[in-house]
Each structure stands twice: as C-alpha cells, then as structure tokens.
Amino acid sequence: MGDKKNRHDPNYLRAKRENFAGRAIYKLEEIDKRFRLIKPGARVLDLGCWPGSWLQYAVKRAGTDATLVGVDLKAVELALPSNVKTFVGDVNKLKLDKMVERFGRFDVVLSDMAPNTTGNKDFDIPVSEDLFLRALDIATGCSRIGGHFCAKVFQGARFHELIREVERRYQQAKPYRSAHTRKQSREQYIIGRGLKANVARDANPIADS
Ligand SMILES: C[S@@+](CC[C@H](N)C(=O)[O-])C[C@H]1O[C@@H](n2cnc3c(N)ncnc32)[C@H](O)[C@@H]1O
C-alpha cells in the first residue's frame, strides 16, 4: 500500500503507534480471540510472516516457553525474542520432514500469505488459492493431532471447495472475514480446529522432501 493511502488508514496508524510491524496484527488478534488458537507454550508456524506482526502477536500470547517459527520470501528485520526463529524461503520448497525433525509437530499453523497482487482477479485469486492449499498441506504434514490451522485466501470460485477440504481434515472448519479487512478486498480466512487423527497419520512428510 502506498504511503499516501497509509496515512489515512486507522489500523496502520494504530500499529505504528503501538510499535507493531503491520496492521495485520489486528486481524490475527481478532481471529484468535474468537477461535482460541494460540495457547501459552504453543509451537506455532507462521507462513508468509514478513514483516512480522503476526509473530509479534503470537509470541505475546504464547510466551517465552513457546516455539515460534516464521517463513517468508523476504527477511524479517524486526528484533524478536530468542524463541522466535525466522527463515527466508518459499513455502513451496519447504522440507516438512526437516521442520518436524527440528521443531517437533506444531500446535498451530498460520498463513497470511498473499501473492504480489496484479489487480487482475483472474490471476490473483488462483495464485492465492494455490498458496492456501500449500499452507493446508504443510499444516496437515507438520501439525500434531488436534492442532489448529488458520489461513488467508482471496474469495473466488473455489472458496466453498476449500472450506470443504479443511472440513475433511479438521474437526471444525469455519470461514471468517475480519472486521479489519478493507471493504473492497476479497480477503477471507478459513480456520480449522482439531486436526483429525487419521489425516495426521496419513500425512507423510518424508515423501515431501
Ligand atoms: C500480507 S503479508 C504477511 C503479513 C504478516 N502476517 C504480518 O503480520 O506481518 C504476505 C506475505 O506472504 C509472503 N509470501 C507470498 N508467497 C510466499 C511463498 N511462496 N513463500 C513464502 N512466503 C510467501 C509475502 O512475501 C508477504 O510477505
């Protein structure tokens, strides 16, 4: 978003005032209050974590005994507590077996990933849907049984199919549109609570490496 537009955005100004890396923090705060995803001591994986405001929120909620891992194409430059690790990388190339080996299985997998939007919805929406599905596969492959999932997607023709796919893998699946999302945006979140045991067992991270 351009600087001129930012100056008039109350959430951007609030985030700046409160020393958060971005306005997106208020969306995660809202979602977490409603769906109770992040607990003290949790292991949290944040896909598309730059500039880092979701990690700032997650570490505040999960505390210093928690393990938080962020991945993004861009390097996070924020100073974060030592129990937060960030990596530069493309989620499409993430080695799930290595992640699990290093950090254990996650309690929560978050994704706020979005493509570099072109303004052409026929292009942007399918890219966003693919990122969503990749996040869902990562969550399925790296989470503990009963773990939670929350990911962004731009609403398009496959939206209901994506909700059904989350429903197939989690005990509960719910779409959620944040009150902090701009009116003209197609942004939605889909939340999955409670990864099913058979799905977690069938996911084979080794096959992904
Ligand atoms: C809206 S921003 C995330 C904001 C973040 N939740 C925060 O609160 O600071 C979306 C991010 O997704 C990242 N992204 C998009 N495609 C990606 C991919 N294939 N692998 C990793 N990150 C990706 C972008 O680089 C961008 O930084």
Side-chain angles (χ1 to χ4, degrees):
M1 185 164 67
D3 269 357
K4 206 167 161 194
K5 214 168 158 190
N6 274 336
R7 283 200 293 269
H8 300 289
D9 183 288
N11 281 324
Y12 171 84
L13 296 170
R14 183 180 159 203
K16 236 181 134 125
R17 218 171 35 239
E18 295 178 353
N19 285 324
F20 293 126
R23 64 192 293 286
I25 189 164
Y26 304 115
K27 298 178 196 169
L28 180 60
E29 183 182 48
E30 182 192 342
I31 291 168
D32 186 43
K33 281 196 172 140
R34 183 161 179 141
F35 293 96
R36 310 239 153 253
L37 301 176
I38 304 170
K39 303 248 160 62
R43 285 201 185 108
V44 181
L45 175 61
D46 182 15
L47 305 169
C49 64
W50 183 92
S53 80
W54 277 27
L55 287 172
Q56 287 178 303
Y57 174 81
V59 73
K60 206 171 76 179
R61 287 281 300 143
T64 45
D65 291 338
T67 303
L68 299 105
V69 181
V71 182
D72 202 290
L73 296 169
K74 293 188 240 179
V76 172
E77 279 161 9
L78 214 58
L80 288 160
S82 60
N83 60 327
V84 184
K85 305 272 177 260
T86 61
F87 299 95
V88 175
D90 183 336
V91 298
N92 293 304
K93 298 190 183 141
L94 212 57
K95 308 272 192 230
L96 303 195
D97 57 335
K98 300 246 158 58
M99 292 286 284
V100 172
E101 208 177 284
R102 179 151 176 204
F103 299 106
R105 293 198 168 266
F106 290 94
D107 299 300
V108 187
V109 175
L110 306 170
S111 168
D112 197 24
M113 286 192 292
N116 264 333
T117 47
T118 62
N120 176 351
K121 63 179 172 36
D122 295 336
F123 179 80
D124 294 339
I125 290 174
V127 180
S128 160
E129 290 167 339
D130 287 349
L131 283 171
F132 178 90
L133 283 168
R134 177 62 183 151
L136 183 59
D137 283 344
I138 292 172
T140 309
C142 284
S143 300
R144 65 165 172 84
I145 295 166
H148 305 318
F149 170 72
C150 164
K152 168 153 89 187
V153 68
F154 296 155
Q155 183 168 359
R158 295 174 70 195
F159 188 58
H160 293 285
E161 184 192 318
L162 299 180
I163 298 170
R164 279 197 299 277
E165 193 49 43
V166 177
E167 228 158 34
R168 198 178 66 72
R169 303 187 200 196
Y170 288 81
Q171 305 290 351
Q172 247 183 45
K174 289 252 158 62
Y176 187 76
R177 185 169 165 92
S178 166
H180 297 290
T181 292
R182 293 190 182 88
K183 280 203 176 59
Q184 66 277 18
S185 169
R186 287 175 170 265
E187 175 181 271
Q188 292 272 1
Y189 291 87
I190 303 176
I191 290 94
R193 294 191 93 262
L195 180 66
K196 293 179 183 171
N198 62 321
V199 175
R201 264 188 239 111
D202 289 351
N204 178 6
I206 309 295
D208 208 61
S209 56

